[in-house]
Amino acid sequence: MFRKTQHNRVFQDLVDQIQAAILDGRLKPGDKLPSQRDLVDMFQTSRASIREALRVLEQKGLIEVKLGVSGGAVIKTAGTESITADLTLLMQQQQVSYDHLAEFRESIEGDVAPMAARKAAASDIARLEVILVQAAACLKDDDHTPYDFIRMDIRLHIALAEITGNPVFVAVMKMIHETILGFYDRFTFRRRAVLEENYRDLGAIVAAVKAGRPEEAKKLALSHVGRFNRHMKNASHGPESQSPPNRTTPKN
């Protein structure tokens, strides 16, 4: 699978070869790379170069290095972690504002909802309705926290993106919600009235998707996102508004 490295570009050659094997499918998610000792023999290079290459591949999100006797470098399934981290960093450096993110979210969700209304099959509608039932249970059951409802809210938005059949929409939707999730857990987003308002919005959007009414779905989605953005803008005027919240990745 691998060839001896070029001595004048050892480090980059290691990264390029392993990355190419991952991207063209020779190495699949869950596959384990050979041990560092075996990689040294395969590439005819130093262990330091191998370690540096693995570090870069891990930073790119292509592998996960596990410790222990049964550990090693394992090929990862592609995720949104790296782009979400980059977006969060840009926001922390004030190169991207919450207004920028809000504007972008309106554009994306304004496209996703009507597309879902055009493409949704009966099984898709059933899935959305199950999520709504779970969201309602989170509001009614005292054992659930506001964060439990928020997870259902996010799951429904991602489900709408998945109905479109476009993986770019799915990836972007996950990135957006992972980035702004911390805001849900602060300020007005913990208030029951706001959560109930969100639930009514979600129910209306699902009803429009179920009825196959794309323009109505778009209008409702834009209204829902706009209301959230207003809450977010009001919240950002609080004492902690100078830096974005800590991000917690939702489990889908």
Side-chain angles (χ1 to χ4, degrees):
M1 184 181 297
F2 303 124
R3 56 178 169 76
K4 183 178 176 180
T5 62
Q6 302 288 329
H7 286 293
N8 62 340
R9 56 193 296 271
V10 173
F11 161 69
Q12 189 60 51
D13 197 30
L14 289 168
V15 174
D16 289 347
Q17 286 196 59
I18 296 174
Q19 179 173 288
I22 294 171
L23 296 180
D24 67 18
R26 284 176 288 156
L27 289 171
K28 296 179 172 56
D31 286 350
K32 193 173 179 180
L33 286 177
S35 68
Q36 290 189 22
R37 179 180 297 177
D38 289 339
L39 289 172
V40 166
D41 292 338
M42 289 178 187
F43 286 109
Q44 291 294 289
T45 187
S46 69
R47 183 166 289 195
S49 294
I50 294 294
R51 283 197 294 263
E52 183 65 13
L54 294 178
R55 183 185 66 80
V56 172
L57 290 165
E58 188 172 32
Q59 286 181 336
K60 288 186 171 190
L62 295 173
I63 66 171
E64 178 182 5
V65 178
K66 297 182 178 180
L67 303 177
V69 177
S70 60
V74 179
I75 310 305
K76 288 182 63 176
T77 302
T80 60
E81 294 91 348
S82 60
I83 54 175
T84 301
D86 289 342
L87 179 57
T88 301
L89 182 60
L90 288 173
M91 296 182 75
Q92 289 171 339
Q93 294 177 341
Q94 299 184 342
Q95 296 183 52
V96 174
S97 69
Y98 282 112
D99 284 342
H100 293 142
L101 189 61
E103 183 178 55
F104 183 68
R105 187 185 171 199
E106 285 187 2
S107 175
I108 291 297
E109 302 221 24
D111 288 335
V112 164
M115 194 177 298
R118 294 186 187 99
K119 294 188 173 184
S123 58
D124 296 320
I125 300 302
R127 180 186 174 196
L128 294 176
E129 290 179 335
V130 166
I131 296 173
L132 276 179
V133 169
Q134 293 171 334
C138 289
L139 288 177
K140 294 176 182 177
D141 191 339
D142 290 338
D143 290 335
H144 288 93
T145 67
Y147 184 74
D148 293 327
F149 172 81
I150 291 157
R151 286 180 60 195
M152 293 300 107
D153 184 327
I154 290 173
R155 187 174 293 177
L156 193 140
H157 283 286
I158 293 172
L160 288 170
E162 289 171 342
I163 291 171
T164 70
N166 188 325
V168 178
F169 279 138
V170 177
V172 170
M173 196 70 77
K174 287 180 179 178
M175 175 193 70
I176 290 172
H177 283 286
E178 288 168 7
T179 302
I180 66 176
L181 180 61
F183 250 112
Y184 281 99
D185 202 36
R186 300 164 66 200
F187 307 111
T188 58
F189 302 109
R190 293 180 63 88
R191 286 170 40 201
R192 184 175 182 84
V194 175
L195 298 179
E196 291 177 343
E197 183 181 61
N198 273 7
Y199 176 75
R200 288 192 294 271
D201 286 350
L202 297 177
I205 292 169
V206 170
V209 170
K210 182 177 182 178
R213 296 195 291 263
E215 290 307 314
E216 182 180 346
K218 179 172 185 174
K219 181 179 178 181
L220 290 167
L222 289 174
S223 175
H224 172 65
V225 174
R227 185 179 295 114
F228 171 84
N229 290 339
R230 288 192 294 274
H231 284 310
M232 187 170 69
K233 195 165 187 175
N234 291 336
S236 70
H237 293 317
E240 301 176 73
S241 64
Q242 296 305 309
S243 61
N246 293 329
R247 178 174 55 84
T248 305
T249 303
K251 306 297 183 184
N252 298 309

